[in-house]
């Protein structure tokens, strides 16, 4: 909600002010604060502002802090992917993988998250076999490392749903979107923004399968959730809302309404 975002912004601002005011070398704290601010703007859909903070975090992060460096690199990779710059996105995700590999084993959960990010880039590039390979690796590591209901599995299911949708395998896509829906409800409840994104994916899959009424039901639910979370004066044009409107338009076009 708007109130939650404003409160989060206030705390991030306080954290950054304190980190900047402490005497001595506190580069890691500063990097973490800039990283958090970048994530705040990324969640709001302000990719330009998020990129600005992530780049600053990357610039000041200490070389020896491999985990934070890898997290920031993955964040930059996400932003460049969402901006359509896939080569830069790959560059940062591969750098993140290199940082992680220097301190963790190949099957560590941190590696899994980077595999998932790489999978999304390859999916965006249309290289679906590579995307599937990386995401299935990520899923295998997640299942070995975590209990059944863990957020890392949620991201894997979401990515697999998107890959299969792009491949035209809509029943498989629906299966993973529904798994994700169940997991999100367990972890976050029915009204979280993640549920809105997921409902969008479920709606798209039903639309592709020709089940327009079911598709409409899920897309309208997605819009209801996402509007409640993101449609406020500071940010009326969040990308997630655009996805929902687009999904609804496709359903009504296919229904010929």
């Amino acid at each position: 909600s708007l109130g939650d975002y404003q409160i989060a912004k206030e705390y991030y601002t306080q954290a950054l002010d304190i980190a900047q005011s402490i005497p001595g070398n506190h580069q890691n704290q500063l990097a973490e604060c800039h990283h958090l601010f970048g994530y705040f703007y990324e969640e709001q859909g302000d990719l330009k502002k998020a990129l600005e903070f992530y780049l600053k975090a990357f610039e000041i992060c200490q070389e020896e802090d491999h985990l934070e460096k890898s997290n920031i690199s993955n964040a930059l990779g996400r932003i460049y992917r969402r901006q359509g710059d896939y080569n830069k996105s790959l560059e940062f995700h591969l750098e993140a993988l290199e940082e992680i590999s220097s301190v963790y084993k190949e099957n560590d959960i941190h590696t899994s998250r980077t595999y998932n990010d790489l999978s999304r880039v390859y999916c965006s590039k249309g290289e679906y076999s590579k995307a599937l390979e990386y995401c299935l690796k990520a899923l295998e590591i997640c299942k070995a490392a975590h209990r059944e209901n863990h957020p890392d599995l949620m991201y894997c299911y979401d990515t697999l749903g998107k890959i299969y949708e792009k491949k035209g395998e809509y029943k498989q896509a629906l299966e993973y979107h529904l798994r994700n829906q169940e997991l999100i409800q367990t972890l976050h409840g029915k009204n979280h923004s993640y549920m809105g994104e997921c409902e969008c994916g479920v709606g798209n899959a039903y639309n592709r399968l020709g089940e327009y009424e079911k598709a409409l039901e899920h897309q309208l639910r997605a819009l209801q959730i996402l509007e409640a979370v993101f449609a406020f004066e500071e940010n009326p044009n969040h990308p997630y809302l655009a996805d929902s409107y687009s999904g609804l338009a496709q359903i009504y076009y296919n229904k010929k309404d």
Side-chain angles (χ1 to χ4, degrees):
S1 70
L2 173 56
D4 290 339
Y5 276 107
Q6 285 178 333
I7 292 166
K9 189 174 183 180
E10 286 171 14
Y11 280 119
Y12 287 148
T13 302
Q14 286 177 23
L16 184 57
D17 288 344
I18 291 168
Q20 287 173 331
S21 67
I22 298 172
N25 186 353
H26 297 280
Q27 296 299 91
N28 286 347
Q29 288 92 332
L30 279 171
E32 187 178 349
C33 287
H34 282 87
H35 185 184
L36 288 169
F37 244 123
Y39 182 71
F40 169 79
Y41 283 112
E42 182 183 354
E43 283 292 288
Q44 282 198 310
D46 190 340
L47 302 185
K48 187 177 177 182
K49 200 80 175 170
L51 182 60
E52 179 187 325
F53 277 97
Y54 284 148
L55 285 171
K56 185 65 177 172
F58 186 80
E59 179 190 332
I60 62 182
C61 186
Q62 297 292 300
E63 291 296 327
E64 65 271 15
D65 192 350
H66 297 287
L67 181 57
E68 181 64 8
K69 196 84 171 177
S70 70
N71 288 337
I72 297 167
S73 294
N74 275 330
L76 283 163
R78 286 196 310 269
I79 297 298
Y80 283 121
R81 173 178 58 81
R82 291 176 67 182
Q83 290 182 332
D85 193 337
Y86 303 131
N87 290 334
K88 262 193 176 176
S89 178
L90 273 178
E91 178 188 327
F92 278 104
H93 286 314
L94 289 170
E95 183 166 340
L97 190 60
E98 189 177 332
E99 290 283 348
I100 292 166
S101 300
S102 68
V103 287
Y104 294 103
K105 293 178 181 177
E106 187 182 353
N107 62 348
D108 186 86
I109 195 61
H110 296 97
T111 308
S112 154
R113 291 164 190 163
T114 304
Y115 283 157
N116 196 22
D117 283 329
L118 281 164
S119 174
R120 289 185 178 227
V121 183
Y122 284 118
C123 183
S124 298
K125 283 166 66 69
E127 297 182 38
Y128 304 128
S129 295
K130 254 187 177 176
L132 200 54
E133 178 189 340
Y134 274 108
C135 196
L136 289 174
K137 269 188 190 180
L139 183 61
E140 184 182 352
I141 295 169
C142 282
K143 283 185 171 178
H146 294 311
R147 61 188 186 278
E148 286 184 14
N149 297 329
H150 193 277
D152 286 331
L153 287 169
M154 185 180 76
Y155 301 133
C156 288
Y157 293 152
D158 181 55
T159 304
L160 284 165
K162 287 178 167 67
I163 294 168
Y164 282 117
E165 190 177 330
K166 291 286 188 181
K167 280 167 62 71
E169 298 179 30
Y170 303 121
K171 284 187 179 178
Q172 280 276 68
L174 180 60
E175 179 188 330
Y176 280 106
H177 285 314
L178 289 173
R179 278 194 206 179
N180 193 28
Q181 183 187 51
E182 187 178 338
L183 185 52
I184 292 168
Q185 184 164 330
T186 301
L187 294 172
H188 300 290
K190 294 182 178 181
N191 298 310
H192 196 278
S193 61
Y194 294 155
M195 184 62 86
E197 294 174 66
C198 182
E199 289 280 12
C200 219
V202 173
N204 287 339
Y206 276 125
N207 181 41
R208 293 292 191 173
L209 290 166
E211 297 188 44
Y212 302 129
E213 293 306 321
K214 275 190 176 179
L216 190 58
E217 177 190 334
H218 286 281
Q219 284 291 5
L220 288 171
R221 174 70 179 139
L223 184 60
Q224 180 185 16
I225 295 168
L226 294 171
E227 280 187 332
V229 177
F230 294 117
F232 46 79
E233 287 183 12
E234 266 187 49
N235 190 27
N237 300 312
H238 196 285
Y240 294 157
L241 289 171
D243 291 342
S244 187
Y245 295 142
S246 174
L248 282 166
Q250 288 171 29
I251 295 165
Y252 281 118
Y253 177 82
N254 289 336
K255 280 167 58 79
K256 301 294 186 290
D257 285 358

